[in-house]
Amino acid sequence: MFRWLLGGKEPQGGAEKTRVLNIGEEQIQNPYTELTALKGHHDIVRFLVQVDDNRFASACDDGSVMVWDVQTGEVLFEFNGHTQKITAVAVFPASETYHMKAELILTASSDRTVIAWDCESGQQWQKASDFHSTVKTLLGVQSLDVWLSGGTELRVWNRNFNLLGETGFFSDGVIFKIGTTAAGLDKWDISQIKCLSGHQDIIRTVINVNELTFVSGCDAGELIVWDALDWSVKGSEKNFPYIYAQQDSPPENRFLPTQDEVSIQHLSSDGECIYVAVGRGIYVYNLHTKRVIAFQNNAHDSSIQHMANIPSRQLVSCSEDGSVRIWELRSKPQLQAESVPAGFFTMWGFGKSSKQSNQTVKKMNENGIVASLELIGDLIGHSSSVQMFLYFQDHGLVTCSADQLIILWKEGKRESRLRSLLLFQKLEQNGDLQPRYSLH
């Protein structure tokens, strides 16, 4: 259906075609049957951030930032204050302390500036420009009413862009503690309390699972589960493609994966499992059993750019190949081997089925693969690498791409009901629903 509307999907960047899953034209489990393409940017749209339940912002390599209405696709504001590409975006929630009823959008750029934009007035709120290097990370801490910027240094700022504290050096895999000094709120202490030294390479991604657990992944393909209280290692896994993607292949046919195939690109969690994007594959690591319970080693034709969990045990992933795919984690039926009596059946060789079933159950128990990732939707609309996406509970998905487009993916049945309701309300207001004839 999507291919008929928008054309076929081909791997981007000359990627070799793999045995990637193909769901076909009829996607009966895919609710996103309506799409709207939004045009406004003139370069790679690299970032999306949710402002509230009805608005989101997009940031582009041309330095522009736009705020959109997710229901109508209307541009509410366009911010132009940076001279180079955007490197980080974050939302700083409203504050009663500063009598700020509007959210702020923080944007960092390669021009070594950070700008705060007022989401109600559309005006620039504050600007900082004395950074030693490009800011690559922005984080708003609502409970402390401060925000953090990270580049080669880590800095803490208040809402009025007053610098509260900073470190001389900021590197990956370091845990810092921030807090006010005895002198008051004007100066904050930033102290290093832990270095996550368990990885063998650069840490690429870190996510919080809950208040007690967080997870990190590195370029060498290592996944480490950490205790958030004492920062001890609670579990780990590595070499995902080599161990799981080739476990059924004979030893002579197994290959050593390349760096791109090993590196952990992104992490996501539903609280029970960790979803690990490794190259073009997805692996599901169960926190309780500390094992991989499901995988799709060829989930996309190219490397996965972004991944996130949505309700109903579903997962959405997007890739350099221009695709956006929806997955569902399902438990596999447990095979139980029944004993076959000796005699007539064994004489004819039927007894082998019992032995094979026993081997199947044993193999399943040994490798821990007790679930499967089923492809239930393939959203074909972008012609180039999909950078990331947002999920709105009441409005569907929003995706951005190197093709300069933003696409709103809507649930067809829901949109149809909304249009019918709107039509009914208009007819009722115009009096067209009143009976024109009466029987006496």
Side-chain angles (χ1 to χ4, degrees):
M1 176 171 56
F2 292 108
R3 285 184 175 84
W4 181 79
L5 288 171
L6 298 162
K9 171 173 66 69
E10 295 297 335
Q12 300 298 313
E16 182 183 354
K17 187 71 175 179
T18 62
R19 293 178 298 170
V20 69
L21 290 177
N22 186 357
I23 194 173
E25 308 299 333
E26 295 298 327
Q27 303 182 32
I28 59 175
Q29 299 180 79
N30 180 10
Y32 303 107
T33 56
E34 293 190 14
L35 62 87
T36 303
L38 308 182
K39 298 180 181 180
H41 290 291
H42 303 288
D43 207 331
I44 298 174
V45 186
R46 204 173 294 275
F47 297 100
L48 296 173
V49 63
Q50 183 173 344
V51 178
D52 52 34
D53 291 339
N54 299 299
R55 296 180 297 172
F56 70 94
S58 59
C60 179
D61 277 4
D62 62 10
S64 65
V65 179
M66 292 185 176
V67 180
W68 307 78
D69 184 304
V70 70
Q71 177 62 34
T72 65
E74 177 188 2
V75 177
L76 303 177
F77 300 111
E78 182 174 356
F79 305 139
N80 292 288
H82 293 291
T83 59
Q84 297 182 37
K85 72 177 184 179
I86 307 296
T87 56
V89 182
V91 171
F92 199 10
S95 170
E96 296 181 358
T97 304
Y98 284 84
H99 305 289
M100 288 286 297
K101 296 182 180 180
E103 293 83 1
L104 296 177
I105 295 179
L106 303 172
T107 58
S109 169
S110 296
D111 60 15
R112 298 190 181 184
T113 65
V114 173
I115 301 178
W117 309 91
D118 188 312
C119 288
E120 291 299 324
S121 67
Q123 300 298 313
Q124 179 175 309
W125 169 255
Q126 295 286 351
K127 181 177 182 178
S129 57
D130 59 342
F131 295 95
H132 302 312
S133 64
T134 299
V135 173
K136 297 183 179 180
T137 301
L138 292 171
L139 175 66
V141 185
Q142 185 176 13
S143 59
L144 301 176
D145 203 31
V146 298
W147 60 276
L148 285 69
S149 62
T152 55
E153 67 275 350
L154 176 66
R155 292 182 174 183
V156 182
W157 308 77
N158 66 13
R159 193 172 292 266
N160 286 328
F161 273 46
N162 296 318
L163 182 61
L164 303 179
E166 65 178 315
T167 63
F169 180 73
F170 175 50
S171 60
D172 294 334
V174 178
I175 299 176
F176 292 94
K177 179 181 180 180
I178 62 173
T180 58
T181 63
L185 298 175
D186 293 336
K187 295 294 180 182
W188 286 47
D189 284 330
I190 305 176
S191 55
Q192 178 178 326
I193 58 177
K194 178 69 176 180
C195 180
L196 303 181
S197 57
H199 283 291
Q200 299 179 4
D201 206 335
I202 296 174
I203 297 176
R204 178 180 287 267
T205 178
V206 179
I207 61 165
N208 279 327
V209 177
N210 50 49
E211 294 182 353
L212 302 177
T213 306
F214 67 96
V215 181
S216 60
C218 77
D219 278 344
E222 284 181 310
L223 172 79
I224 296 183
V225 182
W226 302 87
D227 188 304
L229 299 180
D230 60 10
W231 304 293
S232 61
V233 176
K234 300 172 66 174
S236 64
E237 189 73 44
K238 61 181 180 179
N239 297 331
F240 289 94
Y242 187 76
I243 294 176
Y244 295 99
Q246 303 181 73
Q247 60 185 0
D248 294 327
S249 303
E252 62 272 14
N253 292 340
R254 296 180 183 179
F255 59 89
L256 292 177
T258 65
Q259 179 65 39
D260 291 340
E261 294 171 328
V262 167
S263 177
I264 295 178
Q265 309 292 327
H266 209 265
L267 297 171
S268 181
S269 176
D270 60 7
E272 179 183 349
C273 296
I274 304 297
Y275 296 78
V276 189
V278 184
R280 58 174 68 119
I282 301 174
Y283 302 82
V284 185
Y285 179 89
N286 185 275
L287 289 168
H288 177 68
T289 62
K290 299 181 180 180
R291 304 186 73 168
V292 170
I293 62 170
F295 68 90
Q296 283 288 352
N297 55 301
N298 286 319
H300 289 269
D301 283 324
S302 301
S303 294
I304 296 170
Q305 296 284 77
H306 188 72
M307 188 173 62
N309 290 90
I310 61 176
S312 302
R313 298 193 81 187
Q314 292 180 355
L315 179 81
V316 180
S317 60
C318 62
S319 168
E320 290 179 351
D321 62 20
S323 66
V324 181
R325 301 193 130 193
I326 307 172
W327 308 86
E328 187 173 87
L329 183 64
R330 298 174 183 172
S331 299
K332 284 186 175 182
Q334 297 297 316
L335 300 178
Q336 294 183 353
E338 298 182 359
S339 60
V340 178
F344 178 79
F345 293 99
T346 306
M347 177 180 67
W348 288 97
F350 291 104
K352 293 181 180 179
S353 61
S354 174
K355 182 178 179 180
Q356 291 172 350
S357 298
N358 278 310
Q359 290 175 345
T360 302
V361 173
K362 183 179 180 181
K363 185 175 184 180
M364 182 178 293
N365 292 332
E366 285 178 353
N367 61 33
I369 306 302
V370 297
S372 62
L373 267 181
E374 299 295 329
L375 180 62
I376 64 172
D378 194 1
L379 309 185
I380 309 300
H382 289 290
S383 61
S384 190
S385 174
V386 181
Q387 301 297 302
M388 66 174 299
F389 59 86
L390 295 176
Y391 171 76
F392 285 83
Q393 182 71 39
D394 297 324
H395 302 292
L397 293 173
V398 182
T399 58
C400 66
S401 170
D403 61 12
Q404 307 177 14
L405 290 180
I406 295 170
I407 295 182
L408 306 182
W409 303 88
K410 302 283 189 174
E411 295 185 22
K413 292 183 178 179
R414 182 179 185 276
E415 294 301 307
S416 179
R417 289 196 300 267
L418 290 175
R419 285 192 292 268
S420 298
L421 179 61
L422 183 61
L423 177 60
F424 181 85
Q425 291 173 342
K426 287 184 176 180
L427 291 174
E428 189 176 34
Q429 290 172 0
N430 295 334
D432 293 338
L433 293 180
Q434 300 298 327
R436 298 186 177 183
Y437 303 98
S438 60
L439 298 175
H440 300 282

